[in-house]
Amino acid sequence: MARKKVLVLGSGAREHALCRALSAEAEVTVMPGNAGIAAEAATLPGKADDLPAVVAAARASFAELVVVGPEAPLCAGVTDALVEAGFLVFGPSRAAAELEASKSFCKDFMKRHGIPTSDYAVFEDADAAEAHARAIGRPLVVKADGLAAGKGVVVASSVEETCAAIHAFMREGLFGAAGRKVVLEDKVTGQEVSFHAICDGARFVPLAAAQDHKRLEDGDRGPNTGGMGAYSPPPVVTPALEARILAEVIRPTVDGMAKEGRPFRGVLFAGLMIGERGELSVLEFNVRFGDPETAVLLARLDGALLPYLEGAARGDLGPLADRSPPVRNGPALAVVMAAAGYPESPRVGDAIEGLDAAAAVPAVSVLHAGTRREDGKFLTAGGRVLCITAHAADLDAAAEAAYTAVDRVRFAGSQHRRDIGARARTPQKSRATTP
Ligand code: GLY
């Protein structure tokens, strides 16, 4: 039987993981991809948020399914443009992507539907926002309302810092139009985890929880990043807590979006804070797969991915709905290797050595993100360069395998954390991978 033709949009490790998983079942083309993807699948040039170019790529690749990786094209309406042109698309419509495109929409939506989240207020006037911050008298979280490439959130540690962030976002225009409106919200503490669910507009398939490491340096220090590594499943998400996440967060979100005429078809990524006594609070929703979370979620998947994405795209998961897909025993762990200067100003053009040696480590998958190829050599071409993922019988073994591979890769100025998953690992063994 002819294999289905699938077009994946994006260029990160998430798209490399999706490409690898789908290649077992389909003929995959990626737009634009990266050097690692290009070594394994067909790629097309262009930008994933250039809507006419994406429609042209879907036609050129005879796509029977388009899978959208990043948020920017979704929030710009790529799904609507492709559906109008007659394509089947995994990824929410622009109206449903509002959950990620607008933080104020997201908070108001959660309030309307009784989904647990911290108290907040929304401002379009900087004076009023500062007056609110001073009246509250404790540091707040400041969020740019619009998309800011994952950088539009400041967790202030004083009222002055709250006001400085308001000033930078609203008066200085740090994020342009995306920061002219802000959400000020109460801080919540605990362990941050995410939960992914594939949704068809009415029903869903729960995937699993994962824990990302957002700060650049070990011990959760240094600047915020897109994510420096992840593991799944995190033990803090017990079966009882998972049942609550589904009942208190995922179910009411899917129902609420349908009720509001924005049925959610695609993958819903709930960013959650779990308090010390198991309190559940939604920090944010994303409307696409997480990166690096996708690497660990797909490393554990035991079986086909395509039927889930097709079912969600068609709006009917059928018998796949309401239960988790089969997963392999044991956890997965991913370590991101980033370029010199990341996250502020990543340097590009450094030669990457040792990729074959890293890929030869048993149970390891070397996923590319910001890479390009020149004269047969792989070079750094973005902030996050590689995502080295391992699946093993336990987290210590997964970390051991991932770090063995990481240590075989070299590029000038390379940065990575040595403590991915340390919170859930055996303390003694965890020290073995930290300097
Ligand atoms: N790892 C966080 C994100 O994908 O947004």
Side-chain angles (χ1 to χ4, degrees):
M1 207 170 74
R3 282 152 48 98
K4 283 257 165 77
K5 291 184 169 55
V6 176
L7 174 66
V8 175
L9 301 179
S11 61
R14 164 183 51 212
E15 287 74 24
H16 199 174
L18 285 165
C19 172
R20 277 213 182 143
L22 291 168
S23 291
E25 311 149 51
E27 196 180 312
V28 180
T29 301
V30 185
M31 176 188 174
N34 55 42
I37 292 172
E40 297 168 18
T43 58
L44 287 169
K47 289 190 169 164
D49 54 4
D50 177 346
L51 272 40
V54 168
V55 173
R59 288 200 178 107
S61 60
F62 303 100
E64 292 162 275
L65 175 72
V66 181
V67 178
V68 188
E71 66 275 17
L74 292 167
C75 297
V78 76
T79 298
D80 312 66
L82 284 162
V83 167
E84 182 146 326
F87 292 98
L88 185 65
V89 187
F90 179 77
S93 65
R94 183 178 182 161
E98 199 68 359
L99 268 184
E100 181 166 358
S102 167
K103 306 302 171 232
S104 59
F105 171 85
C106 181
K107 292 292 276 191
D108 292 344
F109 173 85
M110 288 194 274
K111 194 170 173 187
R112 284 196 291 280
H113 295 281
I115 296 163
T117 193
S118 59
D119 287 342
Y120 71 101
V122 179
F123 295 93
E124 293 187 60
D125 175 83
D127 291 337
E130 282 167 359
H132 175 81
R134 293 193 192 287
I136 293 275
R138 57 178 187 276
L140 298 172
V141 179
V142 183
K143 288 183 174 171
D145 187 59
L147 289 186
K151 295 180 183 150
V153 178
V154 170
V155 182
S157 44
S158 66
V159 172
E160 284 321 308
E161 242 181 77
T162 309
C163 291
I166 292 168
H167 185 81
F169 287 21
M170 301 187 81
R171 292 205 183 88
E172 291 178 344
L174 185 60
F175 300 115
R180 299 283 178 211
K181 184 173 179 180
V182 298
V183 175
L184 301 184
E185 64 181 44
D186 277 350
K187 291 211 272 188
V188 284
T189 54
Q191 277 204 57
E192 200 174 331
V193 297
S194 64
F195 197 94
H196 285 62
I198 292 177
C199 312
D200 70 3
R203 299 166 76 204
F204 64 88
V205 171
L207 292 182
Q211 189 158 50
D212 189 8
H213 298 60
K214 296 259 173 64
R215 301 292 196 104
L216 181 70
E217 294 162 19
D218 284 358
D220 293 328
R221 289 188 303 268
N224 252 321
T225 70
M228 293 299 291
Y231 67 102
S232 175
V236 65
V237 181
T238 59
L241 184 58
E242 179 168 328
R244 281 183 53 210
I245 292 169
L246 300 187
E248 295 173 31
V249 177
I250 307 294
R251 180 81 266 162
T253 302
V254 174
D255 289 349
M257 291 296 278
K259 241 180 244 154
E260 296 193 9
R262 304 170 188 257
F264 191 95
R265 291 181 182 175
V267 63
L268 182 67
F269 164 148
L272 307 163
M273 189 68 89
I274 312 299
E276 255 176 34
R277 288 186 296 277
E279 310 91 321
L280 189 54
S281 183
V282 179
L283 301 174
E284 62 176 1
F285 283 117
N286 294 318
V287 298
R288 36 84 194 168
F289 279 109
D291 190 351
E293 290 88 340
T294 307
V296 290
L297 295 177
L298 297 188
R300 295 184 65 227
L301 198 64
D302 190 11
L305 173 65
L306 187 60
Y308 293 92
L309 306 191
E310 278 186 311
R314 272 199 314 271
D316 185 8
L317 280 162
L320 297 174
D322 306 326
R323 58 196 148 115
S324 297
V327 288
R328 300 196 279 159
N329 281 334
L333 180 143
V335 181
V336 169
M337 299 187 76
Y342 179 73
E344 285 86 12
S345 46
R347 190 172 74 201
V348 298
D350 288 308
I352 310 169
E353 310 282 351
L355 289 167
D356 289 342
V361 177
V364 161
S365 178
V366 176
L367 301 171
H368 287 232
T371 64
R372 68 186 174 87
R373 208 162 182 181
E374 200 178 286
D375 300 329
K377 285 191 178 143
F378 288 98
L379 304 177
T380 63
R384 291 188 291 174
V385 176
L386 300 168
C387 178
I388 297 195
T389 308
H391 170 261
D394 60 50
L395 207 56
D396 291 324
E400 178 70 35
Y403 281 110
T404 300
V406 165
D407 291 340
R408 292 182 180 186
V409 175
R410 290 168 309 284
F411 53 90
S414 148
Q415 311 184 73
H416 65 269
R417 284 180 62 156
R418 298 299 300 189
D419 65 346
I420 302 303
R423 192 180 258 141
R425 288 168 54 200
T426 317
Q428 222 176 352
K429 296 203 172 153
S430 157
R431 275 199 294 276
T433 55
T434 47

